């Protein structure tokens, strides 16, 4: 399974591609950051993020895109920018028919480190170890994008089974 992880942000949008399956060693295929100038007009920044994500989709042809689920923060301006960048990533994937999964920050941290309260350094250290890298990817947005991809690879089989069970249960309710 090849997954593009996206850690959305207007100034730095982390992107990382991981290939593998649960229970086997994972391989990093690429990691980086799509950057936009903080003083640029919002529309231009969103277009730049779209172009950057499209380039990653073209170059790596992922089967899934995992995006960090936007959660409420105290700074409304920050959460709005994150939500807008997140929507661009989902749009780019959906336009191509690529399934999108949303994972919360605590879900990603728990999957990668074992603790939903892990700090950025712990996430970076585990990403480095799991992908057998020489050093943690910089900036932290890049490491977070890889963590999202890893989380999805590890959680996708269980999520698929849950969705199938829910669908079967719904069919049984309708046929009764």
């Amino acid at each position: 399974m090849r997954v593009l992880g996206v850690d959305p942000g207007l100034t730095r949008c982390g992107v990382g591609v991981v290939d593998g399956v649960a229970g086997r060693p994972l391989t990093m295929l690429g990691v980086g950051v799509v950057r936009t100038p903080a003083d640029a007009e919002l529309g231009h920044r969103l277009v730049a993020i779209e172009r950057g994500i499209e380039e990653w989709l073209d170059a790596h042809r992922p089967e899934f895109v995992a995006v960090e689920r936007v959660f409420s923060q105290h700074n409304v301006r920050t959460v709005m920018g994150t939500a807008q960048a997140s929507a661009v990533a989902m749009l780019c994937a959906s336009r191509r028919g690529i399934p999108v999964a949303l994972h919360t920050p605590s879900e990603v941290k728990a999957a990668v480190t074992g603790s939903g309260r892990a700090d950025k350094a712990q996430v970076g250290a585990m990403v480095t170890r799991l992908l057998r890298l020489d050093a943690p990817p910089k900036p932290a947005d890049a490491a977070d994008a890889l963590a999202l991809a890893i989380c999805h690879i590890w959680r996708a089989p269980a999520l698929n089974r849950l969705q199938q069970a829910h669908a079967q249960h719904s069919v049984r309710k309708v046929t009764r």
Side-chain angles (χ1 to χ4, degrees):
M1 170 185 315
R2 182 172 294 181
V3 180
L4 170 66
V6 179
D7 181 38
L10 276 180
T11 304
R12 289 183 320 270
C13 184
V15 288
V17 181
V18 177
D19 201 38
V21 294
R24 298 260 166 93
L26 304 171
T27 303
M28 180 188 76
L29 300 179
V31 65
V33 176
V34 176
R35 296 180 186 273
T36 68
D39 60 349
E41 180 186 312
L42 175 61
H44 292 128
R45 294 176 83 182
L46 295 173
V47 168
I49 292 168
E50 178 194 26
R51 287 182 182 144
I53 290 172
E54 290 289 349
E55 288 174 13
W56 279 83
L57 292 171
D58 286 341
H60 296 284
R61 303 277 184 218
E63 299 166 71
F64 297 91
V65 173
V67 180
E68 183 177 281
R69 182 183 299 274
V70 177
F71 63 99
S72 177
Q73 295 175 328
H74 298 294
N75 186 341
V76 174
R77 185 175 168 171
T78 301
V79 80
M80 286 301 295
T82 303
Q84 291 161 334
S86 176
V88 169
M90 291 187 282
L91 174 69
C92 290
S94 296
R95 186 185 294 140
R96 294 170 180 241
I98 301 170
V100 176
L102 300 174
H103 298 284
T104 66
S106 59
E107 184 182 352
V108 174
K109 291 173 186 179
V112 174
T113 71
S115 170
R117 294 182 170 189
D119 62 23
K120 291 216 176 263
Q122 291 170 305
V123 172
M126 284 307 296
V127 165
T128 302
R129 181 185 225 174
L130 292 168
L131 297 175
R132 300 169 314 282
L133 306 175
D134 294 332
K138 299 284 183 194
D141 309 273
D144 289 349
L146 291 171
L148 277 152
I150 293 167
C151 174
H152 187 72
I153 289 169
W154 286 354
R155 294 180 62 98
L159 292 173
N160 288 340
R161 285 193 299 274
L162 284 171
Q163 289 171 342
Q164 289 171 351
H166 180 63
Q168 287 176 347
H169 178 73
S170 296
V171 168
R172 285 186 194 136
K173 279 178 86 173
V174 170
T175 58
R176 287 185 184 169

